[in-house]
């Protein structure tokens, strides 16, 4: 029982940060960042390939 | 023999993931890249979105794209994604889901007279990936901007050998118009790729240890991630076998969730008393 509780508490910071990550990600999507990522990703990135 | 089999099992998972996330085979045939909606989504590992087969977006590329855009200067979407993945699994991604990690793993299997484990300055050099993250992924795209306020993805442009290998070389080979546009930058990036390849034969995962900004982000979450290692101190005999087999030179008995641990599982498999969970 106490070991189970210990495991839960040990995992708590990670769980909180994972949820926070989702919230931050959601905020980014809400303000339209996904469109910027999509635009960059669907066109050949000249910098990435070493041309631009 | 059994341990070796399990090592290849991990490579099987890595290869399967690399294939799944780079399965736009038409891109390789036509010398073009996938342009569908899936590219809205980031993949967890370092995977150039200009790889002809790539179905998703590289998270480090995504961070730079948003920071470098004229209208956004903070990358919440990609940063939140990295936080989510990191908080769940830490550098498990490096060990199991990164295509460039797999390439380095395979290169290191090539026999070499004297493989280098650690050397003078190794520990200090490992901090370099944090400097690269801050300078090339965040600060330069944010502040070194053109007249429109747009910053280039400086890590991708000046450093990333994954982009050269996964995107640059295939696209240049398949595309004549791109071949005519080659210059010093392409040469520079190929030199970096060549150095990375040679070093990967001698040193286990040099790019992950010293350069990768994605590994730097995930490493911060290693000690507190939901899924992490635990050493049963009652079982551990302190034999040191786990530290000897670790390619990243981590001593799990001392710190099982060290920022450098990529969770490949070599320590867990090697433990004679099964003390690592």
């Amino acid at each position: 029982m106490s070991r189970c509780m210990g495991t839960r508490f040990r995992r708590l910071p990670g769980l909180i940060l994972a949820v926070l990550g989702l919230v931050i990600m959601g905020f980014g999507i809400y303000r339209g960042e996904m469109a910027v990522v999509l635009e960059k990703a669907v066109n050949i990135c000249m910098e990435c390939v070493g041309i631009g | 023999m059994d341990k070796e089999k399990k090592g290849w099992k991990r490579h099987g998972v890595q290869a399967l993931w690399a294939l799944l996330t780079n399965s736009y085979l038409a891109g390789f045939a036509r010398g073009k890249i996938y342009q569908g909606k899936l590219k809205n989504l980031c993949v967890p590992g370092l995977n150039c979105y200009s790889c002809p087969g790539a179905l998703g977006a590289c998270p480090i590329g995504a961070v730079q794209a948003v920071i470098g855009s004229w209208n956004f200067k903070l990358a919440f979407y990609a940063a939140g994604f990295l936080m989510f993945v990191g908080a769940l699994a830490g550098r498990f991604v490096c060990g199991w889901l990164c295509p460039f990690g797999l390439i380095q793993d395979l290169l290191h299997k090539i026999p070499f007279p004297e493989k280098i484990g650690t050397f003078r300055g190794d520990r200090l050099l490992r901090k370099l990936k944090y400097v690269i993250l801050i300078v090339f992924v965040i600060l330069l795209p944010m502040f070194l901007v053109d007249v429109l306020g747009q910053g280039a993805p400086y890590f991708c442009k000046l450093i990333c050998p994954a982009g050269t290998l996964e995107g640059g070389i295939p696209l240049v080979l398949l595309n004549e118009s791109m071949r005519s546009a080659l210059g010093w930058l392409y040469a520079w990036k190929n030199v970096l790729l060549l150095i990375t390849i040679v070093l990967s034969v001698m040193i286990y995962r040099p790019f992950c240890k010293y350069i990768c900004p994605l590994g730097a982000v995930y490493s911060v979450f290693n000690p507190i991630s939901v899924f992490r290692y635990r050493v049963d101190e009652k079982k551990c005999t302190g034999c040191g076998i786990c530290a000897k087999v670790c390619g990243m030179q981590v001593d799990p008995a001392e710190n099982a969730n060290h920022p450098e641990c990529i969770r490949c599982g070599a320590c867990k498999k090697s433990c004679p008393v099964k003390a690592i969970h």
Side-chain angles (χ1 to χ4, degrees):
Chain A
M1 174 81 177
S2 64
R3 190 178 157 185
C4 184
M5 287 291 281
T7 306
R8 266 186 211 166
F9 280 116
R10 213 175 55 235
R11 287 181 175 172
L12 196 61
L15 282 171
I16 291 170
L17 282 177
V19 173
L20 191 64
L22 281 178
V23 172
I24 291 171
M25 203 162 80
F27 177 66
I29 293 167
Y30 167 75
R31 66 181 205 141
E33 288 177 20
M34 240 183 180
V36 178
V37 173
L38 181 69
E39 195 192 335
K40 184 76 182 169
V42 297
N43 294 299
I44 291 176
C45 167
M46 291 304 189
E47 295 93 343
C48 306
V49 299
I51 291 178
Chain B
M1 179 72 184
D2 189 42
K3 277 174 194 170
E4 202 152 292
K5 261 188 196 169
K6 282 180 184 169
W8 282 102
K9 191 175 146 189
R10 180 171 68 90
H11 298 325
V13 174
Q14 289 171 296
L16 190 67
W17 183 258
L19 281 175
L20 271 175
T21 51
N22 293 281
S23 56
Y24 183 65
L25 299 179
F28 290 105
R30 291 191 222 141
K32 292 187 173 167
I33 62 169
Y34 169 71
Q35 295 185 307
K37 296 265 184 203
L38 278 174
K39 280 227 168 137
N40 271 305
L41 306 172
C42 291
V43 290
L46 198 76
N47 196 143
C48 186
Y49 36 40
S50 286
C51 170
L55 292 180
C58 171
I60 289 297
V63 167
Q64 293 169 94
V66 177
I67 287 178
S69 68
W70 63 271
N71 49 346
F72 298 112
K73 283 294 160 197
L74 294 171
F76 289 101
Y77 166 53
F81 173 80
L82 292 176
M83 185 187 253
F84 173 70
V85 176
L88 280 185
R91 289 189 80 176
F92 170 84
V93 172
C94 307
W96 293 77
L97 302 177
C98 180
F100 203 62
L102 169 65
I103 290 163
Q104 289 173 88
D105 278 352
L106 297 178
L107 284 169
H108 196 66
K109 290 189 185 295
I110 296 171
F112 188 77
E114 280 213 26
K115 298 270 183 187
I116 302 166
T118 188
F119 53 89
R120 210 172 150 188
D122 176 33
R123 294 279 151 196
L124 187 65
L125 204 55
R126 294 203 193 198
K127 309 287 180 212
L128 181 62
K129 58 181 173 288
Y130 300 100
V131 176
I132 288 173
L133 169 67
I134 292 166
V135 175
F136 288 88
V137 177
I138 300 171
L139 294 180
L140 287 180
M142 192 178 276
F143 296 111
L144 195 59
V145 294
D146 60 16
V147 285
L148 297 172
Q150 293 174 319
Y154 286 97
F155 171 74
C156 303
K157 183 175 181 173
L158 300 174
I159 299 174
C160 187
T164 314
L165 182 68
E166 297 164 4
I169 292 175
L171 286 175
V172 164
L173 284 176
L174 296 164
N175 209 312
E176 204 181 320
S177 60
M178 289 186 82
R179 277 201 294 278
S180 61
L182 299 183
W184 68 269
L185 186 61
Y186 189 74
W188 162 250
K189 290 200 70 185
N190 273 279
V191 168
L192 287 184
L193 173 63
L194 192 67
I195 293 170
T196 309
I197 290 171
V198 172
L199 284 179
S200 298
V201 178
M202 297 152 66
I203 302 170
Y204 184 67
R205 290 201 179 212
F207 181 76
C208 307
K209 281 177 179 170
Y210 312 116
I211 308 292
C212 185
L214 188 57
V217 174
Y218 289 145
S219 76
V220 174
F221 294 96
N222 245 12
I224 47 108
S225 63
V226 174
F227 299 105
R228 58 182 193 252
Y229 287 142
R230 187 174 65 83
V231 176
D232 189 335
E233 286 174 14
K234 284 178 194 158
K235 282 186 181 174
C236 179
T237 58
C239 66
I241 291 175
C242 52
K244 269 184 206 154
V245 299
C246 180
M248 299 297 283
Q249 284 78 45
V250 170
D251 183 355
E254 200 178 285
N255 181 2
N257 295 293
H258 191 280
E260 289 298 316
C261 170
I262 57 166
R263 302 205 165 133
C264 67
C267 57
K268 197 178 161 188
K269 277 177 282 174
S270 70
C271 181
V273 292
K274 306 285 173 224
I276 304 172
H277 305 281

